[in-house]
Amino acid sequence: MNTPRSIREIFGFFFFLGRRTGKTRVFALLGLIPVVLAVVVRIVLHGRSGDIAAVFTEILMVFFLQFYIVILALFYGTSVTAEEVENRTLSYLITRPLPKPAIVLGKYAAYALLMFAMVAVSLTLSFFVMNAARLREPALYLTFLSYLGVLGLGILAYTAFFTFLGTVLKRAILVGLVFGFGWENVIQYFPGSTQRFSIVHYLKSLLPYRPAPGGGGKGVALLLFRLEPTSTLLAVLALIGIGAAFLALACWLFRMKEYLYEE
Amino acid sequence: MTAVIAASNLSKWYGNVLGLNDVSLEVEEGITGLLGPNGAGKSTFMKLITGQMKPNIGTVTVRGQKVWNNPEVFSGIGFCPENDVFYEDVTGWEFLTGLLRFYGYAPAEIRERAARALDIVDLAKDKDRLIRGYSRGMRQRVKVAQAIAHDPEIVILDEPLSGLDPLGKRKLIKLIKDFKSEGRTVLVSSHVLPEIEALTSRIVLVHQGKILAQGDIPYIRELIEAHPHQISVRSSDPRALAARFLGDRSIQKMTFAADGRTLVVETHKRDDFFGRLTGVVLEDGIEVEEISSPDDNLQAVFEYLVGK
């Protein structure tokens, strides 16, 4: 089979398998947290200004951007190759007429779509519950789409990075946790070019910038604070580049590396 | 006959541990049995010839093609791993149809092949149950089914009979023999001599990463016969029993065990000894309570051969 067809078949198999796992059920439930939060805030904010809802929406985005997509990408990305080795099921894949990179790419695509579906459902519900009072404003839908797009790009970039980690390291989860919740959370606040060594910097650069009412041009989003955002085009290119580079590395390593099961 | 699988001077080590040491082997059409105790290097050899591992030294080819990073070669190979591992959250049917997708078959052909393979291993009626809920024997059979579903020319089975009940073993042995009559090449491993003996007369003895001997059953039997057997006979009168065997040239050594009731005999001619023992028991009326042969196993044969 050629590589595109192999990727398609691997994608189909693992998209099907991925929906069945306990991991997916747990993470789907985790996605209900912002929805519940949105319902609570809506009840508390009943009849109040839509601007406060927008602030809370940004707080929700912190959950999505700095927790939900990172933890999803960490667990699904590292498992692209590592779970096959840990569960010793790799034999079922590499003794088939499939190019090894197709295994990585197909599983990556299957898991990325699965994650995007979970994030999209959670974001849609929480966003529109939170902003129920502003449903007639066309700008609201643009904001929603830009949030969804940013999260989608985040999933692609983070998952590629964690796929690479899982291909290289035996205990990739630990290193991934340090990267996702240590490095990413700290380095983005470094001034100058240092912040550009984090993925979240480019994601935040893409978020709609909403000046505070009477804030003299300053952004209100404390948690979504960004120092020196990269331009939209460059940020998109950087995220796509990060994703492509780490995926290519993961494919190359998976092809060259020999995986031994632990006895 | 041309070799289907050819391994030349294969060596593989895991860190400081030598898994396989300078192994050269040519596997021809028909059934070849790889026999050796656990940890002998059988699985390592099978992983090398199925491209799951790369040899440190040496080469391995299947039908003249290299196997490492050569996916095309796997269209004609079916592999049944030793480990009892699966994608647990799928049914037997989903497992098979899922793996058959990787051969590029059309959906109708996938269904047909999966149904046929499950039928062959007697799992047709359990095909919609989750693998997680399968018994050990059923899991073993579905593993074999995934190895044969694509109708491979070469079937490589790593300890396929382990975990099967006697009936399951008999069925699988018949199935493997059918592969041979269909002109396939089968390489099967086991650490149990009678299992391999039931499958084929062509045996390769593996021990400590090396090929110790290879040949047909009579040759291996000869090696085993050359191995002095230890037989313990617990009797009401072990001394009288020993006296009857004094001067018997087939017996190398006789001792009494610590319990004072067991005669321990070492002989090269086990069958002769048992024949004479029956006569002695019948003629002299010596009561025999228990006969055991503690070293009548493959490990003992290997130890004997290695020591030789």
Side-chain angles (χ1 to χ4, degrees):
Chain A
M1 269 204 310
N2 58 29
T3 303
R5 175 87 193 270
S6 302
I7 293 172
R8 206 177 73 199
E9 297 301 345
I10 287 277
F11 170 85
F13 184 57
F14 283 99
F15 188 67
F16 170 78
L17 272 186
R19 284 180 294 165
R20 289 272 182 95
T21 59
K23 181 168 70 180
T24 300
R25 282 192 283 270
V26 169
F27 282 121
L29 279 176
L30 197 64
L32 288 179
I33 291 176
V35 182
V36 172
L37 198 71
V39 171
V40 171
V41 172
R42 272 304 303 162
I43 292 166
V44 174
L45 284 184
H46 186 67
R48 307 265 297 275
S49 151
D51 206 41
I52 296 174
V55 171
F56 275 103
T57 303
E58 286 187 3
I59 293 171
L60 280 186
M61 276 307 284
V62 175
F63 171 85
F64 282 111
L65 204 61
Q66 292 191 239
F67 177 73
Y68 197 40
I69 64 163
V70 179
I71 200 92
L72 280 174
L74 174 63
F75 278 89
Y76 282 95
T78 52
S79 70
V80 165
T81 54
E83 75 180 353
E84 299 295 335
V85 180
E86 280 162 23
N87 300 339
R88 302 177 182 213
T89 44
L90 189 62
S91 304
Y92 291 123
L93 299 179
I94 60 174
T95 57
R96 312 280 158 189
L98 299 166
K100 283 182 184 170
I103 297 172
V104 175
L105 294 173
K107 275 194 84 173
Y108 167 84
Y111 286 174
L113 185 62
L114 204 61
M115 285 183 272
F116 185 72
M118 286 192 268
V119 169
V121 169
S122 179
L123 178 72
T124 306
L125 290 173
S126 55
F127 184 89
F128 287 110
V129 167
M130 188 72 88
N131 295 283
R134 299 166 59 210
L135 292 179
R136 291 186 180 182
E137 293 175 25
L140 183 74
Y141 298 93
L142 279 178
T143 307
F144 169 74
L145 287 177
S146 65
Y147 281 170
L148 197 59
V150 169
L151 293 176
L153 278 171
I155 287 170
L156 292 179
Y158 276 123
T159 309
F161 177 74
F162 291 129
T163 298
F164 165 73
L165 274 192
T167 310
V168 183
L169 304 172
K170 269 191 180 168
R171 304 278 178 260
I173 291 270
L174 288 177
V175 179
L177 278 171
V178 172
F179 173 82
F181 299 104
W183 174 272
E184 284 284 278
N185 274 337
V186 174
I187 214 78
Q188 60 170 312
Y189 298 114
F190 277 39
S193 54
T194 316
Q195 60 188 302
R196 288 179 172 79
F197 289 102
S198 68
I199 292 173
V200 73
H201 162 81
Y202 299 104
L203 292 173
K204 282 187 173 179
S205 299
L206 292 172
L207 285 176
Y209 184 65
R210 199 175 57 81
K218 286 188 177 178
V220 289
L222 176 68
L223 293 167
L224 289 176
F225 168 79
R226 49 191 191 183
L227 274 174
E228 300 145 22
T230 301
S231 71
T232 303
L233 180 66
L234 273 181
V236 170
L237 288 177
L239 288 166
I240 292 171
I242 289 167
F246 281 112
L247 258 189
L249 272 173
C251 289
W252 178 76
L253 271 164
F254 186 66
R255 188 173 185 277
M256 302 311 290
K257 202 173 163 188
E258 176 189 69
Y259 292 91
L260 304 175
Y261 301 143
E262 279 181 15
E263 293 300 329
Chain B
M1 210 182 273
T2 335
V4 179
I5 301 167
S8 171
N9 305 109
L10 276 189
S11 289
K12 179 73 197 173
W13 48 84
Y14 310 99
N16 293 330
V17 179
L18 195 60
L20 214 58
N21 185 9
D22 197 26
V23 165
S24 293
L25 180 68
E26 295 199 336
V27 178
E28 295 167 357
E29 276 176 18
I31 305 173
T32 302
L34 217 53
L35 184 67
N38 291 327
K42 306 184 298 292
S43 293
T44 299
F45 181 73
M46 289 191 154
K47 282 177 185 158
L48 286 167
I49 61 171
T50 51
Q52 297 176 67
M53 292 198 304
K54 194 167 55 173
N56 293 103
I57 297 175
T59 56
V60 58
T61 58
V62 171
R63 288 266 183 236
Q65 288 185 281
K66 71 175 183 83
V67 286
W68 176 254
N69 275 338
N70 183 13
E72 286 79 24
V73 84
F74 294 109
S75 300
I77 296 178
F79 175 65
C80 171
E82 179 192 8
N83 299 317
D84 181 41
V85 291
F86 293 93
Y87 299 105
E88 300 277 352
D89 296 314
V90 294
T91 65
W93 175 258
E94 289 161 348
F95 180 62
L96 247 70
T97 51
L99 294 178
L100 278 166
R101 294 172 71 153
F102 304 152
Y103 293 89
Y105 301 130
E109 191 175 356
I110 289 175
R111 288 193 293 272
E112 187 201 318
R113 282 176 180 273
R116 195 168 58 220
L118 286 167
D119 198 35
I120 288 172
V121 298
D122 277 345
L123 277 177
K125 68 177 194 311
D126 295 300
K127 70 183 173 73
D128 295 323
R129 281 176 58 189
L130 284 181
I131 289 181
R132 186 182 294 286
Y134 276 7
S135 69
R136 179 78 203 274
M138 291 160 86
R139 290 164 75 88
Q140 197 68 13
R141 281 184 280 150
V142 78
K143 219 160 61 175
V144 172
Q146 63 79 33
I148 60 168
H150 57 290
D151 225 3
E153 180 202 355
I154 300 161
V155 184
I156 297 167
L157 308 165
D158 198 354
E159 300 271 2
L161 299 173
S162 75
L164 288 181
D165 55 39
L167 184 65
K169 276 186 188 176
R170 209 161 56 213
K171 283 183 176 174
L172 189 53
I173 286 169
K174 185 186 173 303
L175 178 67
I176 295 170
K177 284 182 164 175
D178 288 345
F179 292 158
K180 183 193 174 188
S181 53
E182 288 162 7
R184 297 179 213 260
T185 302
V186 183
L187 183 64
V188 58
S189 77
S190 176
H191 61 281
V192 182
L193 177 64
E195 283 180 6
I196 290 286
E197 221 172 345
L199 280 167
T200 179
S201 60
R202 198 188 303 156
I203 295 179
V204 179
L205 287 178
V206 186
H207 186 60
Q208 291 185 342
K210 283 191 144 184
I211 292 182
L212 214 58
Q214 53 179 310
D216 53 13
I217 287 284
Y219 174 69
I220 301 298
R221 273 277 171 226
E222 264 178 42
L223 289 174
I224 292 173
E225 286 307 316
H227 156 236
H229 293 265
Q230 206 177 63
I231 300 161
S232 299
V233 185
R234 197 165 76 201
S235 157
S236 55
D237 193 353
R239 293 186 184 278
L241 195 62
R244 294 284 290 154
F245 282 99
L246 279 176
D248 189 323
R249 301 184 80 175
S250 68
I251 290 175
Q252 288 189 305
K253 194 172 151 189
M254 284 193 289
T255 52
F256 294 103
D259 65 0
R261 295 176 62 203
T262 305
L263 175 66
V264 182
V265 176
E266 264 188 42
T267 175
H268 277 108
K269 297 185 175 173
R270 200 176 67 132
D271 294 344
D272 288 359
F273 172 76
F274 283 128
R276 281 213 57 201
L277 180 65
T278 311
V280 167
V281 169
L282 287 173
E283 285 165 22
D284 298 4
I286 297 173
E287 196 181 318
V288 171
E289 295 165 2
E290 188 184 298
I291 301 171
S292 60
S293 188
D295 67 348
D296 189 15
N297 59 41
L298 192 59
Q299 183 62 40
V301 174
F302 279 117
E303 280 167 13
Y304 171 71
L305 291 175
V306 170
K308 219 167 90 168

